[in-house]
Amino acid sequence: MTAVWSPPAPPPTEALPASEVGARILTAAAGLFYAEGIRAVSADRVIAAAEVSKVTFYRHFGTKDDLVVAYLRVIAAAERAAVDRGRAEHPDDPLRVLALYADSVDAQSCRPGFRGCAFINAAAEYADPQHPVRAVVAEHRAWLTGTAVELLTQAGSPDPEQAALELVLLRDGAMVAGYAGSPDAGSALRRAGRAVLHAHGVALPA
C-alpha cells in the first residue's frame, strides 16, 4: 500500500503545475516515488495512479525525469516556505527559527510512512552528479546550508559556516535514524544541535 505523501508544509501555488491534471499527476507520482523509490516506479504506474492517458501524461511531463525534478522542486518549495514563514514570524530570534526546523524534522519522522529525506533518497538513486535530479538536490542542500549560515551569523556564531555544516549533518542523521525506526531521533537532534551551537560560540537561552 502506498504511503500517504505530503510535503512538510503547503507548497507555494507557483511551485505546483498550473493545470489540475498536472497537479494530479504530480501528487500521484510523489506518493509512489516517496513510498517505493523513484527507480522502482515506472511512468506507467504513475499514469495508472493518476488515471490519465499516456498522451496526457507526456503532454504535462516530457519525461519521467522531468516529473522527478518537479516532485523534488515542490518539496523544496514547501520547505523553503515553512522556513521563510518562521523567519518572518521571528525576525530577531534565529535560534527560535532553528528550533522550529528541528521540530519539523521530528514531526516528519513520526508520520506513518516516513521514509527519510526525499533529497537524500533521490541522491542515492541517481549516481551521476550531472543529472538534472542531482542538480535539484544540490540546489536544495545549498539553500539549506546557506540558510543555516545566515541564522547562525545572526545568532552571533564566530564560525557560522562550520556550525551550519555540522547542523546539516545532524539533520541528515536524524532523518536517517527516524526512517530506521529510532523513536528518539528528534530529541537527539535537539540535544546535539544545542551542543553544536554551544561549541561554536552561540549564546543559548537557559
Side-chain angles (χ1 to χ4, degrees):
M1 180 178 178
T2 300
V4 176
W5 174 87
S6 64
T13 302
E14 60 269 21
L16 297 170
S19 75
E20 180 182 345
V21 174
R24 188 167 81 242
I25 293 170
L26 180 56
T27 299
L32 290 167
F33 289 160
Y34 188 73
E36 301 180 24
I38 296 169
R39 297 288 195 186
V41 176
S42 66
D44 286 342
R45 286 278 308 285
V46 176
I47 289 166
E51 298 181 334
V52 297
S53 69
K54 284 190 177 182
V55 171
T56 298
F57 175 89
Y58 286 110
R59 184 184 301 130
H60 287 85
F61 300 97
T63 67
K64 180 187 168 184
D65 283 346
D66 291 338
L67 180 59
V68 176
V69 166
Y71 153 66
L72 293 173
R73 287 201 181 283
V74 166
I75 300 174
E79 189 165 333
R80 294 184 190 200
V83 171
D84 287 347
R85 184 165 55 252
R87 295 181 77 172
E89 291 173 354
H90 306 280
D92 301 317
D93 193 351
L95 296 184
R96 177 60 178 157
V97 179
L98 289 171
L100 288 171
Y101 187 85
D103 290 344
S104 173
V105 172
D106 190 12
Q108 290 178 61
S109 66
C110 293
R111 288 182 182 178
F114 178 69
R115 289 194 66 247
C117 173
F119 297 93
I120 294 174
N121 295 348
E125 294 199 59
Y126 287 82
D128 180 3
Q130 303 304 315
H131 194 282
V133 169
R134 288 293 296 268
V136 178
V137 172
E139 177 185 308
H140 183 66
R141 291 187 65 80
W143 165 82
L144 186 64
T145 303
T147 299
V149 170
E150 292 172 4
L151 292 168
L152 290 162
T153 300
Q154 185 183 358
S157 172
D159 190 12
E161 288 80 9
Q162 184 61 34
L165 173 61
E166 292 174 15
L167 287 180
V168 171
L169 290 176
L170 288 176
R171 174 261 187 200
D172 292 346
M175 285 281 200
V176 173
Y179 176 34
S182 173
D184 300 320
S187 58
L189 173 62
R190 292 185 187 87
R191 290 193 302 271
R194 287 179 66 87
V196 167
L197 294 174
H198 178 73
H200 288 281
V202 175
L204 298 171

